[in-house]
Structure formats: structure tokens, C-alpha cells
Amino acid sequence: MRQVVKGLDALGVKVDVVATSPLARADQTARLLASGLGVAGDPLVVPELAPGMDAAVTAAALARIDAATMAVVGHEPDLGQLAAWLIGAASPLEFKKGGVCRLDARELRRPRSAALIWLATPKMLRALARAADQ
């Protein structure tokens, strides 16, 4: 995951806050992400990012966070379903462990309110990290 974060840094990814599921593994990942991207403060625990939550409920909880940019750490298939709900896709986006996408959203409380800008696999991000190290 450290290499994935280095890849995100090489892409110039900046976020104001990291939101995470309350589960321990997600919190560990969120802390690595926040540290690697220079986010001030601890990740914000969002109970609605726990596995099994409805996408609309999760989106409403994320909409209450006062931040211009946010990274979200959670679980599959829930994150894929959330991303699909936000962009209006018929099927969930598939994330491998450490996979990342960028969504630009006008409003998080409504379906089809976001645009998918990019999707990166962990393999792609690790390759970016290696290239940045050279």
C-alpha cells in the first residue's frame, strides 16, 4: 500500500480529508494514505463506510463532511457500488485491494451526480511509484 500511495503522490493527488470505514484494516490503510499524501489530522471514521451499507446512505454521510476534496477508504463490493451509484453506472466498479478512482461530484446526495475522471489499479500505481523513484 505504501507503493500505491507513492504512485498517487506521483500523480499529484491532494486531498483535504481521508474518510474511512471503522474497521481496523481500513483505518490502517487510511492512516498510510493520509500520511503519504500529507493530510493534516487523523482520518475521519465514517460508520456508514462499514461493509453492507446502502450506497445512498453512505453518500449522504460523506456529503456531511466539510471538505473540497476527500479520499474514501472502505470495502468491496460497497465502494464499487457507491462509485456506480454516484456516476449512474448499471454495474459496480471493480476495485482490487489498493485500487483508486477519482470522481468529481457536484453533489453527493443524488445518484448520477459525479463523473468518473480516472480509475487506477494497484499495479499501475506501483509502476508510477517505481518510475518516480528513478
Side-chain angles (χ1 to χ4, degrees), residues 13-95:
V13 171
K14 302 287 184 222
V15 296
D16 299 321
V17 68
V18 176
T20 184
S21 157
L23 276 63
R25 183 82 183 228
D27 184 65
Q28 292 168 348
T29 299
R31 288 178 185 282
L32 280 172
L33 182 62
S35 174
L37 296 181
V39 176
D42 289 333
L44 179 62
V45 176
V46 178
E48 292 84 356
L49 282 167
M53 297 298 282
D54 179 74
V57 171
T58 303
L62 294 172
R64 292 190 293 271
I65 297 172
D66 184 23
T69 58
M70 163 185 349
V72 177
V73 179
H75 313 277
E76 274 299 284
D78 304 285
L79 286 181
Q81 291 167 347
L82 173 64
W85 187 84
L86 286 167
I87 65 173
S91 14
L93 275 66
E94 186 178 325
F95 292 100

Side-chain angles (χ1 to χ4, degrees), residues 102-124:
R102 175 182 166 186
L103 300 179
D104 285 359
R106 297 178 304 279
E107 208 278 299
L108 291 175
R109 288 184 175 92
R110 291 188 350 257
R112 297 179 300 282
S113 61
L116 175 63
I117 306 302
W118 52 259
L119 178 80
T121 65
K123 184 176 181 178
M124 292 166 64

